Amino acid sequence: MTAVTATTTKVRRTQRPRITPGKVVAWTVMAAMVLITLLPFYWILRTALSTNTALAAHPGDPLPVDLTTGGFERALGLQSTEEAIAQGGSGGGLKFWRYLINSTVVSTLITVFQILFSAMAAYAFARLRWRGRDTVFGLFLAGLMVPTIFTLLPNFVLIKQLGLVDSLLGISLPTMFMTPFAVFFMRQFFMNVPREVEEAALLDGAGKIRIFFRVMLPMASAPILTLGVLTYITSWNDYFWPLMVSYSDSSRVLTVALAIFRAQTPQSGYDWSGLMAATLIAALPMLVLFGFFARRIVSTISFTGIK
Amino acid sequence: MTVASSPPSRLPVRDIEGTQPKPRTREKRERDGGGRGDGALAALFIAPAMLGFLVFLLWPTLRGIYLSFTRFNLLTPAEWVGLDNYVRMVKDPIFWDSLTVTVEYVFINIGIQTVSALAIAVLLQRLTQSAILRGIVLTPYLMSNVVAGIVWLWMLDTQLGIGNEIIAGLGFDRIPFLADETWAIPTIAVINVWRHVGYTALLLFAGLQAIPNDMYEAAKVDGASEWRMFWRITMPLLRPVLAVVLIMTVIGSFQVFDTVAVTTAGGPANATNVLQYYIYGAAFGRFQFGYASAMSVALLVVLSAITFVQYRLTRAGQTDLG
């Protein structure tokens, strides 16, 4: 696929592209889209590095006004209560490090287990012969249709009955075993692995379990990476379910903490600088993660159109 | 998801299978499968996923339907009340209001998102194949809805937001985007477009990649303009992908919650009390789990109906390619 596209573009390049009014308009639209996409990111940074009083005086200034790291200190709970209130914060303690760790634990648990278990199931659906296979797979796929809100209420009741409310395990459990999409995605990959690979390993005397862990899983490292990063981002950004399940700092994740931080800031004058700093702290890990894997993820989505 | 085009690894497989006589392939497959030998192993491999599926997907779905026929507040056992919750729902003006608000949101959100995503996808295909641009377009998708909500809440603030600074600078009146009954829903819809449009654009871009380039080359030789090519080649051939993407985004869009929760909390005066938010309030604000479940069932029915109708209308399962 990639190769095909590359050659055709090369052929086209031989005729020099002309600058037409249409192209100018198209590039202008593209530039505007990029600007709208990126402006909020800059504005977060600019606000986070300003003081609240200066922000009120110069709301439209494109650069940080009265440069300071106070916002970050407040978000991370490094300021004393008096100091925080003086700078426009609520003084309410927030343990962002704690939430950062919680978010990391939850996202890692979900990603590792969901992908391992989904890959195992996908292998059984794609490569093993057993009765009722297609029926069971159809049932799994039908799960894609159930809207999340529908399962959330009963799942909350179940998690409560299991005594797992307000625990990191309680947040992770519902999506830790599988999602229909992850199974579907991995199955697509395994179906396309040449049979010869498996046969060669069988001839060498390897069992199917061994083949799965030693041959198939390593071969699937590229799709697993893409699926992994997307799963990580999704669970990191999830808000509704953690909001339902967690009540205290011990299980609070960043999204929930951030919403609380926003609700805590005085209604009369928001602590915008602190809020934007907190926002940046919450979003930064995903930006870094994406920075590392962007190319691969973008091309996987571009070529297979996964959801 | 079902969107077009095979990963590179599939091509050799097809070649090998294509060049071999059929009986051998079938025989080989049977030998591979090992018949009943795989049953136990399959059970082992599928057990964890099956556990998750049964416990956290199938069972809650059935239980949700059951709870919708009960009065249940978590503290005492659920009490069967028949259709009471549904009767109450039909008579509840706030339910109908929130359904209306949700539909309004979906229309604005999907309308703007689909058009912009299509524009971005086409520009990414016809103008440049830059992977960097594709990466940039995807960045808002990395933000949580909560972050996106807070950032835009700040940028659209009536007094200090950069949006209103620009509007005031141009000599217009400031707009209370999220504090005004008429503006709130369109504003939330646009915020969510910002976050999701890049992802949708990439899905459509995937569909565009499946359209053979010779078609455009041939049309160009015949002197067709880009505009004409868009309507005569791109749109018809993209239709199945566009349909699937539309179904997915509409379903997602109906479940708007996070952005509302952090920006307006349903206000002002219920103007942004979307269905999911109302359900959440009923369950966790007033502990009416039975009633909340009944409304979830209603949402499920609405979504299934929409999916079905969309699927039929757009002939999503068929392709015009090849």
Side-chain angles (χ1 to χ4, degrees):
Chain A
M1 193 84 219
T2 338
V4 175
T5 330
T7 44
T8 39
T9 9
K10 209 179 270 169
V11 172
R12 258 202 306 170
R13 288 246 171 86
T14 48
Q15 320 151 316
R16 282 268 84 180
R18 279 166 299 130
I19 299 171
T20 58
K23 267 203 176 130
V24 174
V25 172
W27 274 111
T28 314
V29 172
M30 197 73 216
M33 298 265 189
V34 169
L35 191 72
I36 295 171
T37 305
L38 294 183
L39 181 72
F41 292 94
Y42 174 71
W43 213 243
I44 296 176
L45 187 66
R46 174 259 181 199
T47 310
L49 291 171
S50 307
T51 61
N52 284 313
T53 36
L55 282 176
H58 310 277
D61 204 320
L63 291 173
V65 276
D66 196 4
L67 197 70
T68 170
T69 53
F72 288 96
E73 287 164 28
R74 220 148 46 248
L76 291 172
L78 299 173
Q79 276 182 345
S80 67
T81 314
E82 303 80 50
E83 218 180 342
I85 291 173
Q87 293 189 13
S90 68
L94 272 184
K95 308 179 185 103
F96 258 86
W97 291 116
R98 169 91 238 176
Y99 312 139
L100 196 68
I101 293 168
N102 285 347
S103 277
T104 310
V105 170
V106 165
S107 304
T108 309
L109 266 181
I110 292 176
T111 304
V112 169
F113 286 102
Q114 186 194 110
I115 288 178
L116 174 68
F117 293 150
S118 297
M120 283 164 60
Y123 179 71
F125 283 127
R127 281 308 172 86
L128 301 176
R129 306 261 141 200
W130 43 287
R131 265 180 49 196
R133 184 179 70 169
D134 295 343
T135 317
V136 176
F137 182 66
L139 201 64
F140 268 44
L141 264 195
L144 275 173
M145 297 293 299
V146 180
T148 38
I149 177 83
F150 201 72
T151 51
L152 287 186
L153 293 181
N155 270 341
F156 174 77
V157 176
L158 179 69
I159 290 291
K160 185 157 175 80
Q161 283 167 348
L162 289 173
L164 289 173
V165 163
D166 206 20
S167 74
L168 294 180
L169 191 62
I171 298 178
S172 317
L173 219 47
T175 41
M176 229 168 80
F177 295 97
M178 60 93 68
T179 61
F181 172 69
V183 175
F184 174 77
F185 178 82
M186 289 312 297
R187 177 176 171 268
Q188 287 298 96
F189 175 80
F190 287 135
M191 301 236 315
N192 292 327
V193 174
R195 300 223 151 242
E196 283 68 17
V197 173
E198 227 171 338
E199 264 167 21
L202 274 175
L203 284 177
D204 287 346
K208 291 217 162 164
I209 297 183
R210 207 180 149 83
I211 292 179
F212 175 72
F213 284 102
R214 290 295 174 80
V215 180
M216 294 303 238
L217 269 192
M219 277 186 74
S221 58
I224 284 177
L225 183 75
T226 301
L227 185 62
V229 174
L230 288 178
T231 308
Y232 208 88
I233 291 172
T234 309
S235 39
W236 187 275
N237 287 341
D238 196 14
Y239 173 66
F240 201 173
W241 174 248
L243 175 70
M244 281 182 171
V245 178
S246 75
Y247 294 128
S248 70
D249 279 348
S250 63
S251 75
R252 195 160 284 155
V253 295
L254 271 173
T255 43
V256 179
L258 197 58
I260 292 173
F261 194 53
R262 173 243 181 279
Q264 268 183 0
T265 70
Q267 290 291 325
S268 48
Y270 281 119
D271 175 11
W272 287 119
S273 155
L275 259 175
M276 289 302 118
T279 307
L280 197 57
I281 295 167
L284 202 58
M286 291 309 101
L287 288 171
V288 172
L289 190 71
F290 185 67
F292 274 115
F293 300 114
R295 229 192 149 75
R296 175 163 280 164
I297 292 163
V298 164
S299 50
T300 312
I301 300 175
S302 308
F303 286 109
T304 60
I306 55 162
K307 177 69 179 175
Chain B
M1 195 167 70
T2 40
V3 184
S5 110
S6 41
S9 62
R10 181 150 151 204
L11 295 170
V13 183
R14 201 188 273 151
D15 285 345
I16 289 163
E17 282 185 351
T19 50
Q20 280 166 352
K22 260 199 176 146
R24 221 183 117 194
T25 322
R26 194 178 299 145
E27 175 197 303
K28 205 196 258 175
R29 226 173 251 154
E30 274 162 15
R31 189 157 32 111
D32 248 3
R36 56 203 78 107
D38 280 349
L41 186 65
L44 181 74
F45 267 51
I46 223 157
M50 190 50 123
L51 178 76
F53 177 78
L54 292 177
V55 175
F56 294 107
L57 200 55
L58 186 64
W59 170 243
T61 303
L62 300 174
R63 198 176 192 189
I65 295 172
Y66 164 74
L67 283 180
S68 73
F69 295 104
T70 66
R71 186 178 298 126
F72 182 45
N73 61 8
L74 276 184
L75 302 171
T76 48
E79 176 198 343
W80 185 267
V81 293
L83 285 172
D84 278 12
N85 287 321
Y86 290 95
V87 172
R88 178 177 161 193
M89 184 173 80
V90 174
K91 288 181 181 163
D92 180 358
I94 305 177
F95 168 77
W96 291 107
D97 276 353
S98 75
L99 189 62
T100 316
V101 167
T102 312
V103 170
E104 189 194 336
Y105 167 84
V106 171
F107 265 96
I108 300 173
N109 178 266
I110 293 299
I112 299 176
Q113 176 163 302
T114 309
V115 173
S116 339
L118 200 54
I120 295 172
V122 171
L123 287 177
L124 281 176
Q125 190 213 16
R126 305 291 301 149
L127 200 60
T128 162
Q129 293 274 340
S130 161
I132 295 169
L133 270 182
R134 273 184 270 154
I136 290 176
V137 159
L138 196 62
T139 38
Y141 182 72
L142 310 173
M143 307 279 101
S144 61
N145 287 322
V146 176
V147 166
I150 294 178
V151 171
W152 284 95
L153 186 70
W154 162 229
M155 298 212 308
L156 296 176
D157 186 79
T158 318
Q159 292 312 316
L160 301 175
I162 181 68
N164 266 311
E165 279 302 304
I166 295 171
I167 290 172
L170 295 172
F172 296 103
D173 285 340
R174 288 172 184 270
I175 302 169
F177 286 102
L178 287 157
D180 182 274
E181 283 182 42
T182 27
W183 281 100
I185 275 290
T187 305
I188 291 173
V190 171
I191 294 174
N192 283 335
V193 168
W194 176 78
R195 175 158 131 68
H196 291 284
V197 73
Y199 198 87
T200 313
L202 277 188
L203 293 180
L204 294 178
F205 178 79
L208 292 178
Q209 293 294 91
I211 301 175
N213 218 347
D214 342 342
M215 293 207 175
Y216 293 104
E217 301 293 339
K220 227 180 226 168
V221 171
D222 292 345
S225 65
E226 280 288 339
W227 189 245
R228 202 177 155 79
M229 287 194 274
F230 174 76
W231 288 109
R232 291 300 173 85
I233 301 176
T234 309
M235 278 309 265
L237 291 181
L238 190 64
R239 184 188 46 74
V241 176
L242 190 61
V244 171
V245 169
L246 256 179
I247 291 175
M248 277 173 359
T249 48
V250 167
I251 290 179
S253 178
F254 255 96
Q255 301 180 58
V256 55
F257 175 82
D258 309 356
T259 322
V260 171
V262 292
T263 54
T264 60
N270 278 343
T272 59
N273 191 11
V274 289
L275 201 48
Q276 182 119 281
Y277 197 77
Y278 188 45
I279 295 174
Y280 174 77
F284 292 91
R286 300 181 288 283
F287 295 103
Q288 301 160 346
F289 276 84
Y291 188 43
S293 299
M295 289 193 286
S296 306
V297 173
L299 181 61
L300 179 68
V301 171
V302 169
L303 288 182
S304 313
I306 288 173
T307 311
F308 181 75
V309 170
Q310 263 188 326
Y311 199 83
R312 294 303 288 269
L313 282 184
T314 54
R315 297 175 293 137
Q318 300 160 27
T319 172
D320 291 342
L321 255 185

